[in-house]
Amino acid sequence: MVDYSPTQKAMAIGPKCSGFISFCSSTFIIYYVLRSPKRRGLVYHRLLLGMSISDFFGSLMCVLSTWPIPKGEAYLAAGTVGTCAAQGFFNQTAAFCTPTYNISLAIYYLLVIVKGWKEKRIAKVEKYLHALPILPGLGTGLAGLFLKLYNGAGWICWIAPGLPNHPDRHDPSYGVYRLAFLYAVAWFIICFLAMAMLTIYVSVLNQEKKLDKYLSTSMSKKKRTNSIKIRNQAFLYVGSMYMTWLFGSIFRFMQFAGKTPPPAIIVLFVLFFPLQGFFNMLVYFFPRICRKIEVGTPLTASFHDSKVASRLRMSNPFNFRRGNKDELKSSKVASAVTNSTIGNSTTEEAVAERPMTEAAISNVSWCAPEGLLEEAPEEAPREGHTDSPGEFEKDPELVVEGMEKDAIDELVEISRA
């Protein structure tokens, strides 16, 4: 009987625990998205669904850990070459797809927040956002099968040397495949995600600076609310990737350098690597948790169920040009800012149940990042229009609809009705 070290036992048992946590987290997100027709109909949630399905399989492979490895090659190993190859395929495919879906989500955020794209327009490119992680993930997974790269890697079947047990499955270039098939991609994703979140943060901060001249002095302490929220949410997104890949990267760097990683790094690697699904769930529900704490909104409530006024007529000083594509975006922002100046007015029933300053802060500047506050030449008052600030009437031309901004809400919990 082989006498396995405590580190080898930890490598076999640890991923089962953390993998099970991630497995349950991804399963819950899948259920949460699929049970709601509204969420199923939104690109953001469908992207998250794809990521969670990928992590579902990846987490399951981590729960299995050493079981599929050929018997006698690792602690608790009870499999065959075939089971190991199967686990290696699903492990590689999921390990590639799950983090790569973060690129698709980051692109989605950039298009919505920075470029001002609407849901219908994003839906036209959705297939590419899914193809970006899925096709290369399946491609690298199948390539590993055909090249016979999958062997026992200590705690799971993945790209590993076949020696000494399987010389026919040994490829001396396995280190290159590890780098090309996964780690180089993961490191690129981490850098890309950090830059994307920084770009979004700067964009929102610039929007808030443009809005400063429209905010009253009583709201001076809340002028940077949106940028602070998105900064915190960006830290969560980037931080979750770092937590998942930090110890694995250290482990691989030491291996590439010809050094033996210490047991602590090995154990931390096998514990944190399977937790991507758990971190995804934390990031996904963080805005809801904050909203629950601050205003008591149920965690399962949709961000689209906001009671913000749906039809508002703009009054001075917001005379925006009509007839262009940015009109609706500008009107939404202006309506939020107007709300902040009308005190406790209850002209619109939809805003009567909520402090006006909170309504303004939570909805201002998120419809389109550019050209929101372009000033237009003075226009003659139209029939039925009032010049008195704070007075407004319903206008079908300025409909504030759902705004298809669910992804923004997920990112920075802006809408808190």
Side-chain angles (χ1 to χ4, degrees), residues 89-113:
F89 166 76
F90 284 105
N91 183 37
Q92 167 60 32
T93 302
F96 190 102
C97 286
T98 302
T100 310
Y101 256 109
N102 281 290
I103 290 185
S104 297
L105 285 169
I107 294 173
Y108 177 85
Y109 298 140
L110 288 169
L111 293 177
V112 171
I113 300 175

PDB file of all heavy atoms in Angstrom, residues 89-113:
ATOM      1  N   PHE A  89     -10.550  16.267 -20.612  1.00  0.00           N
ATOM      2  CA  PHE A  89     -11.262  17.021 -21.640  1.00  0.00           C
ATOM      3  C   PHE A  89     -12.223  18.035 -21.018  1.00  0.00           C
ATOM      4  O   PHE A  89     -12.205  19.221 -21.381  1.00  0.00           O
ATOM      5  CB  PHE A  89     -12.035  16.066 -22.549  1.00  0.00           C
ATOM      6  CG  PHE A  89     -13.051  16.754 -23.418  1.00  0.00           C
ATOM      7  CD1 PHE A  89     -12.649  17.476 -24.535  1.00  0.00           C
ATOM      8  CD2 PHE A  89     -14.409  16.687 -23.112  1.00  0.00           C
ATOM      9  CE1 PHE A  89     -13.587  18.123 -25.335  1.00  0.00           C
ATOM     10  CE2 PHE A  89     -15.347  17.326 -23.909  1.00  0.00           C
ATOM     11  CZ  PHE A  89     -14.941  18.049 -25.022  1.00  0.00           C
ATOM     12  N   PHE A  90     -13.075  17.595 -20.100  1.00  0.00           N
ATOM     13  CA  PHE A  90     -14.027  18.510 -19.471  1.00  0.00           C
ATOM     14  C   PHE A  90     -13.319  19.563 -18.626  1.00  0.00           C
ATOM     15  O   PHE A  90     -13.739  20.727 -18.574  1.00  0.00           O
ATOM     16  CB  PHE A  90     -15.023  17.728 -18.608  1.00  0.00           C
ATOM     17  CG  PHE A  90     -16.079  17.016 -19.393  1.00  0.00           C
ATOM     18  CD1 PHE A  90     -16.021  15.639 -19.564  1.00  0.00           C
ATOM     19  CD2 PHE A  90     -17.124  17.710 -19.976  1.00  0.00           C
ATOM     20  CE1 PHE A  90     -16.985  14.970 -20.289  1.00  0.00           C
ATOM     21  CE2 PHE A  90     -18.103  17.052 -20.713  1.00  0.00           C
ATOM     22  CZ  PHE A  90     -18.034  15.681 -20.865  1.00  0.00           C
ATOM     23  N   ASN A  91     -12.229  19.166 -17.995  1.00  0.00           N
ATOM     24  CA  ASN A  91     -11.489  20.114 -17.163  1.00  0.00           C
ATOM     25  C   ASN A  91     -10.865  21.212 -18.019  1.00  0.00           C
ATOM     26  O   ASN A  91     -10.973  22.394 -17.699  1.00  0.00           O
ATOM     27  CB  ASN A  91     -10.418  19.366 -16.374  1.00  0.00           C
ATOM     28  CG  ASN A  91      -9.657  20.282 -15.430  1.00  0.00           C
ATOM     29  OD1 ASN A  91     -10.224  21.191 -14.832  1.00  0.00           O
ATOM     30  ND2 ASN A  91      -8.362  20.039 -15.297  1.00  0.00           N
ATOM     31  N   GLN A  92     -10.222  20.834 -19.108  1.00  0.00           N
ATOM     32  CA  GLN A  92      -9.594  21.815 -19.985  1.00  0.00           C
ATOM     33  C   GLN A  92     -10.630  22.733 -20.622  1.00  0.00           C
ATOM     34  O   GLN A  92     -10.461  23.958 -20.655  1.00  0.00           O
ATOM     35  CB  GLN A  92      -8.788  21.105 -21.072  1.00  0.00           C
ATOM     36  CG  GLN A  92      -8.345  21.981 -22.223  1.00  0.00           C
ATOM     37  CD  GLN A  92      -7.466  23.146 -21.807  1.00  0.00           C
ATOM     38  OE1 GLN A  92      -6.703  23.042 -20.845  1.00  0.00           O
ATOM     39  NE2 GLN A  92      -7.566  24.270 -22.506  1.00  0.00           N
ATOM     40  N   THR A  93     -11.719  22.141 -21.124  1.00  0.00           N
ATOM     41  CA  THR A  93     -12.752  22.936 -21.788  1.00  0.00           C
ATOM     42  C   THR A  93     -13.367  23.945 -20.820  1.00  0.00           C
ATOM     43  O   THR A  93     -13.506  25.133 -21.148  1.00  0.00           O
ATOM     44  CB  THR A  93     -13.850  22.029 -22.360  1.00  0.00           C
ATOM     45  OG1 THR A  93     -13.258  21.094 -23.273  1.00  0.00           O
ATOM     46  CG2 THR A  93     -14.898  22.849 -23.087  1.00  0.00           C
ATOM     47  N   ALA A  94     -13.728  23.487 -19.628  1.00  0.00           N
ATOM     48  CA  ALA A  94     -14.342  24.383 -18.651  1.00  0.00           C
ATOM     49  C   ALA A  94     -13.346  25.407 -18.116  1.00  0.00           C
ATOM     50  O   ALA A  94     -13.692  26.579 -17.926  1.00  0.00           O
ATOM     51  CB  ALA A  94     -14.916  23.570 -17.492  1.00  0.00           C
ATOM     52  N   ALA A  95     -12.103  24.971 -17.882  1.00  0.00           N
ATOM     53  CA  ALA A  95     -11.094  25.899 -17.363  1.00  0.00           C
ATOM     54  C   ALA A  95     -10.798  27.010 -18.361  1.00  0.00           C
ATOM     55  O   ALA A  95     -10.405  28.121 -17.959  1.00  0.00           O
ATOM     56  CB  ALA A  95      -9.804  25.140 -17.027  1.00  0.00           C
ATOM     57  N   PHE A  96     -10.973  26.739 -19.646  1.00  0.00           N
ATOM     58  CA  PHE A  96     -10.777  27.768 -20.672  1.00  0.00           C
ATOM     59  C   PHE A  96     -12.032  28.632 -20.807  1.00  0.00           C
ATOM     60  O   PHE A  96     -11.945  29.861 -20.869  1.00  0.00           O
ATOM     61  CB  PHE A  96     -10.444  27.120 -22.017  1.00  0.00           C
ATOM     62  CG  PHE A  96     -10.003  28.081 -23.071  1.00  0.00           C
ATOM     63  CD1 PHE A  96      -8.665  28.221 -23.387  1.00  0.00           C
ATOM     64  CD2 PHE A  96     -10.922  28.870 -23.757  1.00  0.00           C
ATOM     65  CE1 PHE A  96      -8.247  29.115 -24.362  1.00  0.00           C
ATOM     66  CE2 PHE A  96     -10.529  29.761 -24.731  1.00  0.00           C
ATOM     67  CZ  PHE A  96      -9.183  29.895 -25.037  1.00  0.00           C
ATOM     68  N   CYS A  97     -13.193  28.011 -20.865  1.00  0.00           N
ATOM     69  CA  CYS A  97     -14.442  28.745 -21.134  1.00  0.00           C
ATOM     70  C   CYS A  97     -14.817  29.685 -19.999  1.00  0.00           C
ATOM     71  O   CYS A  97     -15.206  30.839 -20.242  1.00  0.00           O
ATOM     72  CB  CYS A  97     -15.581  27.759 -21.375  1.00  0.00           C
ATOM     73  SG  CYS A  97     -15.546  26.932 -22.966  1.00  0.00           S
ATOM     74  N   THR A  98     -14.731  29.206 -18.757  1.00  0.00           N
ATOM     75  CA  THR A  98     -15.238  29.994 -17.630  1.00  0.00           C
ATOM     76  C   THR A  98     -14.557  31.345 -17.501  1.00  0.00           C
ATOM     77  O   THR A  98     -15.239  32.382 -17.458  1.00  0.00           O
ATOM     78  CB  THR A  98     -15.112  29.190 -16.322  1.00  0.00           C
ATOM     79  OG1 THR A  98     -15.829  27.963 -16.451  1.00  0.00           O
ATOM     80  CG2 THR A  98     -15.682  29.983 -15.159  1.00  0.00           C
ATOM     81  N   PRO A  99     -13.221  31.418 -17.442  1.00  0.00           N
ATOM     82  CA  PRO A  99     -12.616  32.753 -17.355  1.00  0.00           C
ATOM     83  C   PRO A  99     -12.768  33.572 -18.626  1.00  0.00           C
ATOM     84  O   PRO A  99     -12.847  34.804 -18.569  1.00  0.00           O
ATOM     85  CB  PRO A  99     -11.140  32.453 -17.061  1.00  0.00           C
ATOM     86  CG  PRO A  99     -10.907  31.082 -17.580  1.00  0.00           C
ATOM     87  CD  PRO A  99     -12.196  30.351 -17.378  1.00  0.00           C
ATOM     88  N   THR A 100     -12.833  32.889 -19.789  1.00  0.00           N
ATOM     89  CA  THR A 100     -12.963  33.629 -21.042  1.00  0.00           C
ATOM     90  C   THR A 100     -14.324  34.296 -21.151  1.00  0.00           C
ATOM     91  O   THR A 100     -14.466  35.331 -21.823  1.00  0.00           O
ATOM     92  CB  THR A 100     -12.723  32.704 -22.243  1.00  0.00           C
ATOM     93  OG1 THR A 100     -11.508  31.980 -22.050  1.00  0.00           O
ATOM     94  CG2 THR A 100     -12.611  33.498 -23.534  1.00  0.00           C
ATOM     95  N   TYR A 101     -15.331  33.732 -20.496  1.00  0.00           N
ATOM     96  CA  TYR A 101     -16.634  34.388 -20.461  1.00  0.00           C
ATOM     97  C   TYR A 101     -16.548  35.754 -19.783  1.00  0.00           C
ATOM     98  O   TYR A 101     -17.380  36.627 -20.027  1.00  0.00           O
ATOM     99  CB  TYR A 101     -17.661  33.523 -19.744  1.00  0.00           C
ATOM    100  CG  TYR A 101     -18.626  32.829 -20.690  1.00  0.00           C
ATOM    101  CD1 TYR A 101     -18.557  31.458 -20.898  1.00  0.00           C
ATOM    102  CD2 TYR A 101     -19.602  33.546 -21.367  1.00  0.00           C
ATOM    103  CE1 TYR A 101     -19.431  30.812 -21.764  1.00  0.00           C
ATOM    104  CE2 TYR A 101     -20.479  32.910 -22.240  1.00  0.00           C
ATOM    105  CZ  TYR A 101     -20.391  31.551 -22.430  1.00  0.00           C
ATOM    106  OH  TYR A 101     -21.263  30.932 -23.298  1.00  0.00           O
ATOM    107  N   ASN A 102     -15.551  35.947 -18.933  1.00  0.00           N
ATOM    108  CA  ASN A 102     -15.351  37.262 -18.330  1.00  0.00           C
ATOM    109  C   ASN A 102     -15.008  38.307 -19.378  1.00  0.00           C
ATOM    110  O   ASN A 102     -15.358  39.478 -19.231  1.00  0.00           O
ATOM    111  CB  ASN A 102     -14.243  37.200 -17.267  1.00  0.00           C
ATOM    112  CG  ASN A 102     -14.724  36.623 -15.955  1.00  0.00           C
ATOM    113  OD1 ASN A 102     -15.502  37.230 -15.234  1.00  0.00           O
ATOM    114  ND2 ASN A 102     -14.270  35.422 -15.649  1.00  0.00           N
ATOM    115  N   ILE A 103     -14.299  37.908 -20.440  1.00  0.00           N
ATOM    116  CA  ILE A 103     -14.024  38.840 -21.534  1.00  0.00           C
ATOM    117  C   ILE A 103     -15.332  39.233 -22.210  1.00  0.00           C
ATOM    118  O   ILE A 103     -15.564  40.412 -22.509  1.00  0.00           O
ATOM    119  CB  ILE A 103     -13.057  38.214 -22.549  1.00  0.00           C
ATOM    120  CG1 ILE A 103     -11.658  38.081 -21.943  1.00  0.00           C
ATOM    121  CG2 ILE A 103     -12.990  39.062 -23.817  1.00  0.00           C
ATOM    122  CD1 ILE A 103     -10.618  37.581 -22.924  1.00  0.00           C
ATOM    123  N   SER A 104     -16.198  38.243 -22.456  1.00  0.00           N
ATOM    124  CA  SER A 104     -17.488  38.542 -23.084  1.00  0.00           C
ATOM    125  C   SER A 104     -18.310  39.491 -22.220  1.00  0.00           C
ATOM    126  O   SER A 104     -18.932  40.432 -22.730  1.00  0.00           O
ATOM    127  CB  SER A 104     -18.257  37.238 -23.324  1.00  0.00           C
ATOM    128  OG  SER A 104     -17.564  36.399 -24.221  1.00  0.00           O
ATOM    129  N   LEU A 105     -18.316  39.257 -20.918  1.00  0.00           N
ATOM    130  CA  LEU A 105     -19.061  40.139 -20.023  1.00  0.00           C
ATOM    131  C   LEU A 105     -18.440  41.532 -19.980  1.00  0.00           C
ATOM    132  O   LEU A 105     -19.153  42.543 -19.959  1.00  0.00           O
ATOM    133  CB  LEU A 105     -19.103  39.542 -18.618  1.00  0.00           C
ATOM    134  CG  LEU A 105     -20.055  38.361 -18.431  1.00  0.00           C
ATOM    135  CD1 LEU A 105     -19.820  37.693 -17.082  1.00  0.00           C
ATOM    136  CD2 LEU A 105     -21.502  38.801 -18.546  1.00  0.00           C
ATOM    137  N   ALA A 106     -17.111  41.600 -19.984  1.00  0.00           N
ATOM    138  CA  ALA A 106     -16.445  42.908 -19.977  1.00  0.00           C
ATOM    139  C   ALA A 106     -16.760  43.680 -21.255  1.00  0.00           C
ATOM    140  O   ALA A 106     -17.001  44.891 -21.222  1.00  0.00           O
ATOM    141  CB  ALA A 106     -14.933  42.723 -19.824  1.00  0.00           C
ATOM    142  N   ILE A 107     -16.774  42.983 -22.396  1.00  0.00           N
ATOM    143  CA  ILE A 107     -17.160  43.629 -23.649  1.00  0.00           C
ATOM    144  C   ILE A 107     -18.594  44.118 -23.578  1.00  0.00           C
ATOM    145  O   ILE A 107     -18.922  45.214 -24.036  1.00  0.00           O
ATOM    146  CB  ILE A 107     -16.970  42.649 -24.829  1.00  0.00           C
ATOM    147  CG1 ILE A 107     -15.480  42.329 -25.030  1.00  0.00           C
ATOM    148  CG2 ILE A 107     -17.561  43.218 -26.112  1.00  0.00           C
ATOM    149  CD1 ILE A 107     -15.217  41.255 -26.065  1.00  0.00           C
ATOM    150  N   TYR A 108     -19.455  43.323 -22.981  1.00  0.00           N
ATOM    151  CA  TYR A 108     -20.852  43.722 -22.819  1.00  0.00           C
ATOM    152  C   TYR A 108     -20.950  45.014 -21.995  1.00  0.00           C
ATOM    153  O   TYR A 108     -21.667  45.947 -22.359  1.00  0.00           O
ATOM    154  CB  TYR A 108     -21.627  42.595 -22.137  1.00  0.00           C
ATOM    155  CG  TYR A 108     -23.073  42.924 -21.865  1.00  0.00           C
ATOM    156  CD1 TYR A 108     -24.042  42.740 -22.846  1.00  0.00           C
ATOM    157  CD2 TYR A 108     -23.476  43.425 -20.638  1.00  0.00           C
ATOM    158  CE1 TYR A 108     -25.364  43.042 -22.618  1.00  0.00           C
ATOM    159  CE2 TYR A 108     -24.800  43.729 -20.395  1.00  0.00           C
ATOM    160  CZ  TYR A 108     -25.744  43.529 -21.379  1.00  0.00           C
ATOM    161  OH  TYR A 108     -27.049  43.848 -21.140  1.00  0.00           O
ATOM    162  N   TYR A 109     -20.237  45.076 -20.887  1.00  0.00           N
ATOM    163  CA  TYR A 109     -20.257  46.283 -20.045  1.00  0.00           C
ATOM    164  C   TYR A 109     -19.739  47.500 -20.809  1.00  0.00           C
ATOM    165  O   TYR A 109     -20.296  48.595 -20.711  1.00  0.00           O
ATOM    166  CB  TYR A 109     -19.395  46.078 -18.792  1.00  0.00           C
ATOM    167  CG  TYR A 109     -19.869  44.967 -17.896  1.00  0.00           C
ATOM    168  CD1 TYR A 109     -18.956  44.113 -17.292  1.00  0.00           C
ATOM    169  CD2 TYR A 109     -21.220  44.777 -17.650  1.00  0.00           C
ATOM    170  CE1 TYR A 109     -19.376  43.081 -16.477  1.00  0.00           C
ATOM    171  CE2 TYR A 109     -21.650  43.754 -16.833  1.00  0.00           C
ATOM    172  CZ  TYR A 109     -20.720  42.905 -16.239  1.00  0.00           C
ATOM    173  OH  TYR A 109     -21.136  41.893 -15.433  1.00  0.00           O
ATOM    174  N   LEU A 110     -18.678  47.302 -21.572  1.00  0.00           N
ATOM    175  CA  LEU A 110     -18.117  48.412 -22.341  1.00  0.00           C
ATOM    176  C   LEU A 110     -19.118  48.915 -23.376  1.00  0.00           C
ATOM    177  O   LEU A 110     -19.275  50.132 -23.568  1.00  0.00           O
ATOM    178  CB  LEU A 110     -16.819  47.971 -23.032  1.00  0.00           C
ATOM    179  CG  LEU A 110     -15.603  47.757 -22.120  1.00  0.00           C
ATOM    180  CD1 LEU A 110     -14.487  47.072 -22.889  1.00  0.00           C
ATOM    181  CD2 LEU A 110     -15.107  49.082 -21.555  1.00  0.00           C
ATOM    182  N   LEU A 111     -19.792  48.001 -24.036  1.00  0.00           N
ATOM    183  CA  LEU A 111     -20.760  48.410 -25.052  1.00  0.00           C
ATOM    184  C   LEU A 111     -21.953  49.127 -24.429  1.00  0.00           C
ATOM    185  O   LEU A 111     -22.452  50.118 -24.977  1.00  0.00           O
ATOM    186  CB  LEU A 111     -21.246  47.182 -25.835  1.00  0.00           C
ATOM    187  CG  LEU A 111     -20.206  46.481 -26.711  1.00  0.00           C
ATOM    188  CD1 LEU A 111     -20.804  45.244 -27.370  1.00  0.00           C
ATOM    189  CD2 LEU A 111     -19.652  47.427 -27.765  1.00  0.00           C
ATOM    190  N   VAL A 112     -22.410  48.668 -23.277  1.00  0.00           N
ATOM    191  CA  VAL A 112     -23.575  49.266 -22.635  1.00  0.00           C
ATOM    192  C   VAL A 112     -23.231  50.593 -21.980  1.00  0.00           C
ATOM    193  O   VAL A 112     -23.903  51.610 -22.186  1.00  0.00           O
ATOM    194  CB  VAL A 112     -24.172  48.297 -21.594  1.00  0.00           C
ATOM    195  CG1 VAL A 112     -25.248  48.986 -20.767  1.00  0.00           C
ATOM    196  CG2 VAL A 112     -24.764  47.086 -22.295  1.00  0.00           C
ATOM    197  N   ILE A 113     -22.175  50.619 -21.190  1.00  0.00           N
ATOM    198  CA  ILE A 113     -21.874  51.788 -20.369  1.00  0.00           C
ATOM    199  C   ILE A 113     -21.087  52.838 -21.135  1.00  0.00           C
ATOM    200  O   ILE A 113     -21.400  54.030 -21.094  1.00  0.00           O
ATOM    201  CB  ILE A 113     -21.108  51.363 -19.099  1.00  0.00           C
ATOM    202  CG1 ILE A 113     -21.962  50.389 -18.284  1.00  0.00           C
ATOM    203  CG2 ILE A 113     -20.747  52.580 -18.250  1.00  0.00           C
ATOM    204  CD1 ILE A 113     -21.241  49.814 -17.080  1.00  0.00           C
TER     205      ILE A 113
END
